Amino acid sequence: MNPVLELDHDDEIVRELLAPFARVQPVTLRRRAPARRSRPWLVAAAAIGVAILVFASLATAGAFGPLHGASISPNPPTLTTAASSDLACNLIGQTAGQAENTLHQSGYQIEWRFQYWGAQTARAAGKNSPGAVTGGYATAPATVPADSIVWDIGADTRTSNTLFVFVEAPNDPNAPTVIPPTCQGR
Amino acid sequence: MRQLAEQVDVLPEGSEPGRTRAAEGLAERAAAEVVEQLFHASEARLGRFLAQMVDNRALAEDLLQDSFYEVLRCRDQLPEIDNLEAWLFGIARNRALAALRKRRRLRGALERLVQRPDPAERNDLELLELRDLLQRHLDPDDRALLLLRYLHGFDANELAAMTGRTPEAVRQRLARAKRRLVRAAGRTPTDSDQEREP
């Protein structure tokens, strides 16, 4: 075929009409991207750094402070054999050292219960404020730091002069707010 | 490319009993190299043709991938093929037509509603109008013929080899498609029954 004959009038029109198609970008075969050199230590260090930054930011913002809204209302026993019937009641919120002196002077034996408060709170249905702190635990040490805070006292019903004194660290971030009971002697 | 070649099971069916496995391996590697060269030489043109044929780039990429895979699958036929590029375009054309038929049959209405052109083409109104014109007035087979003839330079003999028609049948079909397009575009076609296609 003579190529001159191909270039008739219609051919030129068709080429002109199809010309915009020349601007279509070709598609290409999808090739796998080259594998990057993996540096797990770098990734781990970056992750740890980010975690520390986040933790520090949250701590600064007070996110790990006391459980807002969580509170506790202890109900210490009335000690009928004590010099003051409101002895135990008045010790709530005092330090362990003060409580120890007072109770020993009154002839009581102490079993310490040191409370580590958990970080979770539970709330009753329909209540906005937490009704309990969960996830903590208590130990029964022979002695406790003198600056520990007494948050409740219970009577050992098996004996007449032994009390369970519940204390917590003064800086326990998860400690609920203790609402002191109304004591007659106060 | 090399990765693509390695994905294919290399031993052809019906290997001659006398051939050693080593010789088969050498032949396979030679064929793979030919295919690789063909891909390298034709990828851009073929990719453009497929992007012109279908207005969905993801589909065009799939078709390109399929076309090359088909070439790899049939690589034992390579020595018998005179015009490798025309053969490759023929495979791509068949794949594109099959995809367009399937799309039209199964999802035509939905595609028209939700189909969006490639972001690079959205502002090219002239190109959008051309796609619309071709889709409304020419069937996919005729569109492929016109693109292959006028944008990719294949002659009637090559188009005949691609389509399984005679060169004369290709010329007649091209002439009809050309006249239809010229009329659809509001231009005046040469009013002659004499087919003067390549």
Side-chain angles (χ1 to χ4, degrees), chain A residues 55-86:
Chain A
F55 185 84
S57 302
L58 290 174
T60 304
F64 301 120
L67 295 169
H68 298 293
S71 61
I72 188 168
S73 300
N75 184 23
T78 299
L79 304 176
T80 54
T81 59
S84 168
S85 62
D86 292 322

PDB file of all heavy atoms in Angstrom, chain A residues 55-86:
ATOM      1  N   PHE A  55       3.465   9.524  77.891  1.00  0.00           N
ATOM      2  CA  PHE A  55       3.262   9.311  79.326  1.00  0.00           C
ATOM      3  C   PHE A  55       3.564  10.588  80.103  1.00  0.00           C
ATOM      4  O   PHE A  55       2.798  10.988  80.987  1.00  0.00           O
ATOM      5  CB  PHE A  55       4.159   8.168  79.801  1.00  0.00           C
ATOM      6  CG  PHE A  55       3.935   7.783  81.238  1.00  0.00           C
ATOM      7  CD1 PHE A  55       2.919   6.899  81.581  1.00  0.00           C
ATOM      8  CD2 PHE A  55       4.729   8.300  82.247  1.00  0.00           C
ATOM      9  CE1 PHE A  55       2.705   6.551  82.904  1.00  0.00           C
ATOM     10  CE2 PHE A  55       4.520   7.960  83.571  1.00  0.00           C
ATOM     11  CZ  PHE A  55       3.508   7.076  83.898  1.00  0.00           C
ATOM     12  N   ALA A  56       4.688  11.225  79.724  1.00  0.00           N
ATOM     13  CA  ALA A  56       5.070  12.442  80.427  1.00  0.00           C
ATOM     14  C   ALA A  56       4.023  13.536  80.232  1.00  0.00           C
ATOM     15  O   ALA A  56       3.677  14.262  81.169  1.00  0.00           O
ATOM     16  CB  ALA A  56       6.437  12.918  79.935  1.00  0.00           C
ATOM     17  N   SER A  57       3.518  13.631  79.007  1.00  0.00           N
ATOM     18  CA  SER A  57       2.497  14.647  78.729  1.00  0.00           C
ATOM     19  C   SER A  57       1.242  14.394  79.559  1.00  0.00           C
ATOM     20  O   SER A  57       0.667  15.308  80.136  1.00  0.00           O
ATOM     21  CB  SER A  57       2.137  14.639  77.243  1.00  0.00           C
ATOM     22  OG  SER A  57       3.289  14.874  76.480  1.00  0.00           O
ATOM     23  N   LEU A  58       0.831  13.131  79.607  1.00  0.00           N
ATOM     24  CA  LEU A  58      -0.372  12.792  80.376  1.00  0.00           C
ATOM     25  C   LEU A  58      -0.149  13.052  81.854  1.00  0.00           C
ATOM     26  O   LEU A  58      -1.035  13.547  82.558  1.00  0.00           O
ATOM     27  CB  LEU A  58      -0.746  11.327  80.130  1.00  0.00           C
ATOM     28  CG  LEU A  58      -1.286  11.020  78.734  1.00  0.00           C
ATOM     29  CD1 LEU A  58      -1.472   9.521  78.556  1.00  0.00           C
ATOM     30  CD2 LEU A  58      -2.629  11.721  78.522  1.00  0.00           C
ATOM     31  N   ALA A  59       1.049  12.692  82.342  1.00  0.00           N
ATOM     32  CA  ALA A  59       1.333  12.907  83.756  1.00  0.00           C
ATOM     33  C   ALA A  59       1.314  14.391  84.075  1.00  0.00           C
ATOM     34  O   ALA A  59       0.774  14.819  85.096  1.00  0.00           O
ATOM     35  CB  ALA A  59       2.687  12.297  84.109  1.00  0.00           C
ATOM     36  N   THR A  60       1.909  15.193  83.172  1.00  0.00           N
ATOM     37  CA  THR A  60       1.916  16.642  83.381  1.00  0.00           C
ATOM     38  C   THR A  60       0.499  17.189  83.402  1.00  0.00           C
ATOM     39  O   THR A  60       0.171  18.105  84.154  1.00  0.00           O
ATOM     40  CB  THR A  60       2.725  17.320  82.262  1.00  0.00           C
ATOM     41  OG1 THR A  60       4.027  16.749  82.247  1.00  0.00           O
ATOM     42  CG2 THR A  60       2.831  18.817  82.491  1.00  0.00           C
ATOM     43  N   ALA A  61      -0.331  16.613  82.563  1.00  0.00           N
ATOM     44  CA  ALA A  61      -1.707  17.093  82.481  1.00  0.00           C
ATOM     45  C   ALA A  61      -2.557  16.581  83.638  1.00  0.00           C
ATOM     46  O   ALA A  61      -3.737  16.894  83.730  1.00  0.00           O
ATOM     47  CB  ALA A  61      -2.325  16.668  81.157  1.00  0.00           C
ATOM     48  N   GLY A  62      -1.981  15.767  84.491  1.00  0.00           N
ATOM     49  CA  GLY A  62      -2.708  15.294  85.662  1.00  0.00           C
ATOM     50  C   GLY A  62      -3.578  14.082  85.400  1.00  0.00           C
ATOM     51  O   GLY A  62      -4.420  13.727  86.205  1.00  0.00           O
ATOM     52  N   ALA A  63      -3.338  13.443  84.263  1.00  0.00           N
ATOM     53  CA  ALA A  63      -4.176  12.288  83.938  1.00  0.00           C
ATOM     54  C   ALA A  63      -3.956  11.138  84.905  1.00  0.00           C
ATOM     55  O   ALA A  63      -4.805  10.278  85.045  1.00  0.00           O
ATOM     56  CB  ALA A  63      -3.897  11.821  82.525  1.00  0.00           C
ATOM     57  N   PHE A  64      -2.793  11.106  85.547  1.00  0.00           N
ATOM     58  CA  PHE A  64      -2.527  10.003  86.463  1.00  0.00           C
ATOM     59  C   PHE A  64      -2.665  10.439  87.922  1.00  0.00           C
ATOM     60  O   PHE A  64      -2.146   9.809  88.828  1.00  0.00           O
ATOM     61  CB  PHE A  64      -1.123   9.442  86.224  1.00  0.00           C
ATOM     62  CG  PHE A  64      -0.929   8.935  84.835  1.00  0.00           C
ATOM     63  CD1 PHE A  64       0.051   9.471  84.020  1.00  0.00           C
ATOM     64  CD2 PHE A  64      -1.744   7.956  84.327  1.00  0.00           C
ATOM     65  CE1 PHE A  64       0.223   9.012  82.729  1.00  0.00           C
ATOM     66  CE2 PHE A  64      -1.577   7.497  83.041  1.00  0.00           C
ATOM     67  CZ  PHE A  64      -0.596   8.028  82.233  1.00  0.00           C
ATOM     68  N   GLY A  65      -3.288  11.541  88.147  1.00  0.00           N
ATOM     69  CA  GLY A  65      -3.469  12.023  89.513  1.00  0.00           C
ATOM     70  C   GLY A  65      -4.544  11.224  90.214  1.00  0.00           C
ATOM     71  O   GLY A  65      -4.929  10.141  89.777  1.00  0.00           O
ATOM     72  N   PRO A  66      -5.016  11.723  91.348  1.00  0.00           N
ATOM     73  CA  PRO A  66      -6.059  11.020  92.087  1.00  0.00           C
ATOM     74  C   PRO A  66      -7.278  10.759  91.210  1.00  0.00           C
ATOM     75  O   PRO A  66      -7.550  11.511  90.275  1.00  0.00           O
ATOM     76  CB  PRO A  66      -6.398  11.993  93.222  1.00  0.00           C
ATOM     77  CG  PRO A  66      -5.198  12.860  93.335  1.00  0.00           C
ATOM     78  CD  PRO A  66      -4.624  12.958  91.971  1.00  0.00           C
ATOM     79  N   LEU A  67      -7.958   9.730  91.559  1.00  0.00           N
ATOM     80  CA  LEU A  67      -9.146   9.386  90.786  1.00  0.00           C
ATOM     81  C   LEU A  67     -10.216  10.414  91.095  1.00  0.00           C
ATOM     82  O   LEU A  67     -10.807  10.401  92.158  1.00  0.00           O
ATOM     83  CB  LEU A  67      -9.620   7.989  91.166  1.00  0.00           C
ATOM     84  CG  LEU A  67      -8.651   6.886  90.793  1.00  0.00           C
ATOM     85  CD1 LEU A  67      -9.065   5.586  91.442  1.00  0.00           C
ATOM     86  CD2 LEU A  67      -8.593   6.742  89.299  1.00  0.00           C
ATOM     87  N   HIS A  68     -10.386  11.316  90.203  1.00  0.00           N
ATOM     88  CA  HIS A  68     -11.344  12.384  90.468  1.00  0.00           C
ATOM     89  C   HIS A  68     -12.736  11.813  90.682  1.00  0.00           C
ATOM     90  O   HIS A  68     -13.197  11.011  89.899  1.00  0.00           O
ATOM     91  CB  HIS A  68     -11.370  13.353  89.289  1.00  0.00           C
ATOM     92  CG  HIS A  68     -10.045  14.012  89.071  1.00  0.00           C
ATOM     93  ND1 HIS A  68      -9.515  14.894  89.969  1.00  0.00           N
ATOM     94  CD2 HIS A  68      -9.139  13.877  88.084  1.00  0.00           C
ATOM     95  CE1 HIS A  68      -8.350  15.301  89.530  1.00  0.00           C
ATOM     96  NE2 HIS A  68      -8.088  14.690  88.384  1.00  0.00           N
ATOM     97  N   GLY A  69     -13.332  12.267  91.732  1.00  0.00           N
ATOM     98  CA  GLY A  69     -14.703  11.845  91.991  1.00  0.00           C
ATOM     99  C   GLY A  69     -14.798  10.580  92.821  1.00  0.00           C
ATOM    100  O   GLY A  69     -15.849  10.282  93.367  1.00  0.00           O
ATOM    101  N   ALA A  70     -13.678   9.807  92.901  1.00  0.00           N
ATOM    102  CA  ALA A  70     -13.755   8.587  93.702  1.00  0.00           C
ATOM    103  C   ALA A  70     -13.598   8.965  95.172  1.00  0.00           C
ATOM    104  O   ALA A  70     -12.721   9.732  95.540  1.00  0.00           O
ATOM    105  CB  ALA A  70     -12.661   7.615  93.288  1.00  0.00           C
ATOM    106  N   SER A  71     -14.451   8.436  95.971  1.00  0.00           N
ATOM    107  CA  SER A  71     -14.363   8.757  97.405  1.00  0.00           C
ATOM    108  C   SER A  71     -14.753   7.533  98.222  1.00  0.00           C
ATOM    109  O   SER A  71     -15.303   6.562  97.688  1.00  0.00           O
ATOM    110  CB  SER A  71     -15.299   9.935  97.738  1.00  0.00           C
ATOM    111  OG  SER A  71     -16.629   9.582  97.445  1.00  0.00           O
ATOM    112  N   ILE A  72     -14.434   7.597  99.459  1.00  0.00           N
ATOM    113  CA  ILE A  72     -14.758   6.477 100.342  1.00  0.00           C
ATOM    114  C   ILE A  72     -15.266   7.032 101.668  1.00  0.00           C
ATOM    115  O   ILE A  72     -14.767   8.061 102.156  1.00  0.00           O
ATOM    116  CB  ILE A  72     -13.530   5.560 100.531  1.00  0.00           C
ATOM    117  CG1 ILE A  72     -13.936   4.294 101.279  1.00  0.00           C
ATOM    118  CG2 ILE A  72     -12.396   6.284 101.243  1.00  0.00           C
ATOM    119  CD1 ILE A  72     -12.846   3.232 101.231  1.00  0.00           C
ATOM    120  N   SER A  73     -16.253   6.384 102.213  1.00  0.00           N
ATOM    121  CA  SER A  73     -16.825   6.824 103.509  1.00  0.00           C
ATOM    122  C   SER A  73     -16.638   5.702 104.517  1.00  0.00           C
ATOM    123  O   SER A  73     -17.484   4.804 104.620  1.00  0.00           O
ATOM    124  CB  SER A  73     -18.319   7.157 103.358  1.00  0.00           C
ATOM    125  OG  SER A  73     -18.489   8.185 102.415  1.00  0.00           O
ATOM    126  N   PRO A  74     -15.548   5.720 105.259  1.00  0.00           N
ATOM    127  CA  PRO A  74     -15.322   4.627 106.213  1.00  0.00           C
ATOM    128  C   PRO A  74     -16.303   4.699 107.376  1.00  0.00           C
ATOM    129  O   PRO A  74     -16.830   5.760 107.709  1.00  0.00           O
ATOM    130  CB  PRO A  74     -13.881   4.873 106.680  1.00  0.00           C
ATOM    131  CG  PRO A  74     -13.643   6.316 106.431  1.00  0.00           C
ATOM    132  CD  PRO A  74     -14.463   6.688 105.238  1.00  0.00           C
ATOM    133  N   ASN A  75     -16.509   3.557 107.944  1.00  0.00           N
ATOM    134  CA  ASN A  75     -17.435   3.490 109.083  1.00  0.00           C
ATOM    135  C   ASN A  75     -16.752   2.713 110.209  1.00  0.00           C
ATOM    136  O   ASN A  75     -17.020   1.543 110.430  1.00  0.00           O
ATOM    137  CB  ASN A  75     -18.720   2.781 108.643  1.00  0.00           C
ATOM    138  CG  ASN A  75     -19.758   2.758 109.758  1.00  0.00           C
ATOM    139  OD1 ASN A  75     -19.712   3.604 110.656  1.00  0.00           O
ATOM    140  ND2 ASN A  75     -20.649   1.786 109.722  1.00  0.00           N
ATOM    141  N   PRO A  76     -15.853   3.405 110.909  1.00  0.00           N
ATOM    142  CA  PRO A  76     -15.091   2.709 111.950  1.00  0.00           C
ATOM    143  C   PRO A  76     -15.982   2.283 113.105  1.00  0.00           C
ATOM    144  O   PRO A  76     -17.030   2.894 113.353  1.00  0.00           O
ATOM    145  CB  PRO A  76     -14.062   3.755 112.374  1.00  0.00           C
ATOM    146  CG  PRO A  76     -14.709   5.051 112.069  1.00  0.00           C
ATOM    147  CD  PRO A  76     -15.530   4.825 110.846  1.00  0.00           C
ATOM    148  N   PRO A  77     -15.569   1.247 113.797  1.00  0.00           N
ATOM    149  CA  PRO A  77     -16.406   0.751 114.909  1.00  0.00           C
ATOM    150  C   PRO A  77     -16.344   1.694 116.110  1.00  0.00           C
ATOM    151  O   PRO A  77     -15.391   2.436 116.292  1.00  0.00           O
ATOM    152  CB  PRO A  77     -15.759  -0.590 115.242  1.00  0.00           C
ATOM    153  CG  PRO A  77     -14.320  -0.399 114.859  1.00  0.00           C
ATOM    154  CD  PRO A  77     -14.320   0.513 113.668  1.00  0.00           C
ATOM    155  N   THR A  78     -17.351   1.645 116.879  1.00  0.00           N
ATOM    156  CA  THR A  78     -17.332   2.361 118.160  1.00  0.00           C
ATOM    157  C   THR A  78     -16.640   1.457 119.174  1.00  0.00           C
ATOM    158  O   THR A  78     -17.027   0.308 119.367  1.00  0.00           O
ATOM    159  CB  THR A  78     -18.769   2.665 118.626  1.00  0.00           C
ATOM    160  OG1 THR A  78     -19.376   3.495 117.648  1.00  0.00           O
ATOM    161  CG2 THR A  78     -18.757   3.367 119.971  1.00  0.00           C
ATOM    162  N   LEU A  79     -15.590   1.968 119.773  1.00  0.00           N
ATOM    163  CA  LEU A  79     -14.779   1.142 120.665  1.00  0.00           C
ATOM    164  C   LEU A  79     -15.263   1.330 122.101  1.00  0.00           C
ATOM    165  O   LEU A  79     -14.874   2.254 122.801  1.00  0.00           O
ATOM    166  CB  LEU A  79     -13.308   1.520 120.521  1.00  0.00           C
ATOM    167  CG  LEU A  79     -12.781   1.431 119.079  1.00  0.00           C
ATOM    168  CD1 LEU A  79     -11.348   1.929 119.021  1.00  0.00           C
ATOM    169  CD2 LEU A  79     -12.882   0.018 118.555  1.00  0.00           C
ATOM    170  N   THR A  80     -16.098   0.435 122.518  1.00  0.00           N
ATOM    171  CA  THR A  80     -16.740   0.582 123.838  1.00  0.00           C
ATOM    172  C   THR A  80     -15.771   0.408 124.981  1.00  0.00           C
ATOM    173  O   THR A  80     -15.996   0.925 126.091  1.00  0.00           O
ATOM    174  CB  THR A  80     -17.873  -0.437 123.989  1.00  0.00           C
ATOM    175  OG1 THR A  80     -17.334  -1.721 123.736  1.00  0.00           O
ATOM    176  CG2 THR A  80     -18.991  -0.118 123.025  1.00  0.00           C
ATOM    177  N   THR A  81     -14.694  -0.305 124.704  1.00  0.00           N
ATOM    178  CA  THR A  81     -13.748  -0.538 125.788  1.00  0.00           C
ATOM    179  C   THR A  81     -12.671   0.528 125.836  1.00  0.00           C
ATOM    180  O   THR A  81     -11.822   0.495 126.703  1.00  0.00           O
ATOM    181  CB  THR A  81     -13.071  -1.906 125.639  1.00  0.00           C
ATOM    182  OG1 THR A  81     -12.398  -1.927 124.383  1.00  0.00           O
ATOM    183  CG2 THR A  81     -14.084  -3.033 125.741  1.00  0.00           C
ATOM    184  N   ALA A  82     -12.704   1.434 124.882  1.00  0.00           N
ATOM    185  CA  ALA A  82     -11.672   2.456 124.844  1.00  0.00           C
ATOM    186  C   ALA A  82     -12.024   3.618 125.749  1.00  0.00           C
ATOM    187  O   ALA A  82     -13.155   3.750 126.198  1.00  0.00           O
ATOM    188  CB  ALA A  82     -11.493   2.967 123.407  1.00  0.00           C
ATOM    189  N   ALA A  83     -11.010   4.421 126.021  1.00  0.00           N
ATOM    190  CA  ALA A  83     -11.246   5.585 126.860  1.00  0.00           C
ATOM    191  C   ALA A  83     -12.247   6.501 126.214  1.00  0.00           C
ATOM    192  O   ALA A  83     -13.068   7.126 126.872  1.00  0.00           O
ATOM    193  CB  ALA A  83      -9.932   6.320 127.105  1.00  0.00           C
ATOM    194  N   SER A  84     -12.181   6.577 124.914  1.00  0.00           N
ATOM    195  CA  SER A  84     -13.159   7.383 124.183  1.00  0.00           C
ATOM    196  C   SER A  84     -13.871   6.490 123.189  1.00  0.00           C
ATOM    197  O   SER A  84     -13.253   5.757 122.445  1.00  0.00           O
ATOM    198  CB  SER A  84     -12.476   8.529 123.438  1.00  0.00           C
ATOM    199  OG  SER A  84     -13.381   9.112 122.534  1.00  0.00           O
ATOM    200  N   SER A  85     -15.164   6.579 123.225  1.00  0.00           N
ATOM    201  CA  SER A  85     -15.905   5.723 122.296  1.00  0.00           C
ATOM    202  C   SER A  85     -15.699   6.138 120.852  1.00  0.00           C
ATOM    203  O   SER A  85     -15.955   5.389 119.924  1.00  0.00           O
ATOM    204  CB  SER A  85     -17.393   5.741 122.647  1.00  0.00           C
ATOM    205  OG  SER A  85     -17.861   7.065 122.510  1.00  0.00           O
ATOM    206  N   ASP A  86     -15.254   7.341 120.696  1.00  0.00           N
ATOM    207  CA  ASP A  86     -15.051   7.812 119.331  1.00  0.00           C
ATOM    208  C   ASP A  86     -13.586   7.769 118.935  1.00  0.00           C
ATOM    209  O   ASP A  86     -13.172   8.414 117.970  1.00  0.00           O
ATOM    210  CB  ASP A  86     -15.551   9.248 119.189  1.00  0.00           C
ATOM    211  CG  ASP A  86     -17.052   9.319 119.316  1.00  0.00           C
ATOM    212  OD1 ASP A  86     -17.706   8.383 118.805  1.00  0.00           O
ATOM    213  OD2 ASP A  86     -17.549  10.262 119.916  1.00  0.00           O
TER     214      ASP A  86
END
